[in-house]
Amino acid sequence: MDPVAFTLFGLEVKWYGILISSGIVIGALLAFREAKRVGFKEDDLIDVLLYAIPFSVLGARLYYVAFTWDYYGKNLKQILNFRGGGMAIHGALIAAVVTAIIFCKKRKVNFWQLVDICAPSIVLGQAIGRWGNYINQEAYGTPTDLPWGIVIDGVKVHPTFLYESIWDFLVFIFLMWYRKNKSKVRGETFLLYLVLYSLGRFFIEGLRTDSLMLGPIRIAQLVSLVTAIAAMIIVFYRKKKASIS
């Protein structure tokens, strides 16, 4: 497919941007529905999204730039060239969580309730956005003979974007079910999102050929592992604390 969906006033509008934007909009609509169900103020949700979304985009970019500094250190003008490509979901998540923490402290809003509302929306948006990688022919894996492999530059490779998209959809379905039927402690849904997404990303990242690296270490695998462990510890602590109280 042509990465460019259409041209508007001389500006190329790419499928990647359309898919990312669609994921954000659909996720936001889902979060608003949940906020209404649990009695969370919609104005607070609107306001936090107005901050979190742009900061997430900036965080995704700066995270990518930080781990490819060999190039950007010599091309400083390209750092904020978002259309040139180069984003990282972990950077977006870090920026979003920091923004939410600051927002909740200032507004006196319960942070754990807010992130529980948003968790399924986040992973659904990721599942949708990953298809932008397919159109751009990026984020693919090592060569394979499996029947569902895709051909990139004449080589049949693992469609790692597809693996992650399917995993994210499964995590989304599970979180929606769990939040409605099993969740007893605020923050549990969000922490389970961190655990499940991180575990899937850890294994899928091992197949990719374009990983951000820190020496011999794949950054995404390291961050995923640390995140999964930390989230499991926090969820067990919060459940234990709730049972005691």
Side-chain angles (χ1 to χ4, degrees):
M1 289 181 63
D2 187 344
V4 179
F6 57 89
T7 302
L8 184 64
F9 303 117
L11 181 67
E12 292 182 342
V13 178
K14 297 186 177 181
W15 282 111
Y16 185 85
I18 292 174
L19 287 164
I20 293 292
S21 300
S22 298
I24 291 172
V25 171
I26 293 170
L29 293 174
L30 181 66
F32 282 122
R33 190 181 73 172
E34 176 65 9
K36 185 176 182 179
R37 186 183 75 85
V38 300
F40 189 89
K41 288 178 62 177
E42 290 188 11
D43 286 347
D44 285 336
L45 184 57
I46 291 172
D47 289 345
V48 74
L49 290 178
L50 288 176
Y51 286 110
I53 291 172
F55 277 121
S56 295
V57 173
L58 181 61
R61 179 61 173 174
L62 294 181
Y63 184 99
Y64 179 86
V65 168
F67 290 107
T68 51
W69 189 247
D70 286 346
Y71 169 77
Y72 287 102
K74 301 173 185 176
N75 299 273
L76 297 179
K77 292 182 179 179
Q78 294 298 314
I79 291 177
L80 296 180
N81 179 19
F82 292 87
R83 291 177 58 80
M87 309 280 276
I89 186 61
H90 283 127
L93 291 174
I94 292 169
V97 170
V98 171
T99 301
I101 291 172
I102 295 172
F103 177 88
C104 289
K105 285 186 176 180
K106 287 184 175 294
R107 286 287 185 90
K108 295 182 171 30
V109 172
N110 188 289
F111 169 78
W112 294 112
Q113 184 181 28
L114 172 62
V115 292
D116 274 351
I117 289 170
C118 296
S121 298
I122 295 171
V123 76
L124 178 61
Q126 290 174 246
I128 296 170
R130 273 299 172 196
W131 284 88
N133 297 135
Y134 169 69
I135 295 172
N136 284 352
Q137 294 195 352
E138 60 190 8
Y140 53 84
T142 53
T144 181
D145 292 326
L146 293 171
W148 54 79
I150 58 173
V151 178
I152 302 291
D153 296 330
V155 180
K156 195 175 185 181
V157 297
H158 283 285
T160 46
F161 82 91
L162 176 62
Y163 299 163
E164 188 167 331
S165 182
I166 292 173
W167 178 249
D168 290 345
F169 272 121
L170 293 174
V171 172
F172 164 73
I173 293 169
F174 173 78
L175 292 180
M176 291 292 287
W177 171 81
Y178 191 91
R179 185 173 65 183
K180 182 178 180 180
N181 299 287
K182 295 291 184 179
S183 182
K184 304 296 182 184
V185 180
R186 281 183 175 176
E188 194 174 4
T189 301
F190 175 69
L191 291 167
L192 282 175
Y193 153 68
L194 292 180
V195 172
L196 294 173
Y197 171 70
S198 296
L199 289 176
R201 179 63 185 271
F202 179 86
F203 290 105
I204 294 169
E205 188 70 22
L207 294 172
R208 286 179 56 169
T209 58
D210 61 345
S211 299
L212 297 176
M213 304 294 291
L214 183 61
I217 301 172
R218 295 175 187 260
I219 296 298
Q221 285 189 314
L222 177 62
V223 173
S224 294
L225 186 61
V226 171
T227 300
I229 293 172
M232 283 190 284
I233 292 172
I234 295 171
V235 75
F236 285 132
Y237 169 77
R238 288 183 60 79
K239 286 173 73 74
K240 184 177 180 180
K241 184 178 179 181
S243 64
I244 294 175
S245 60

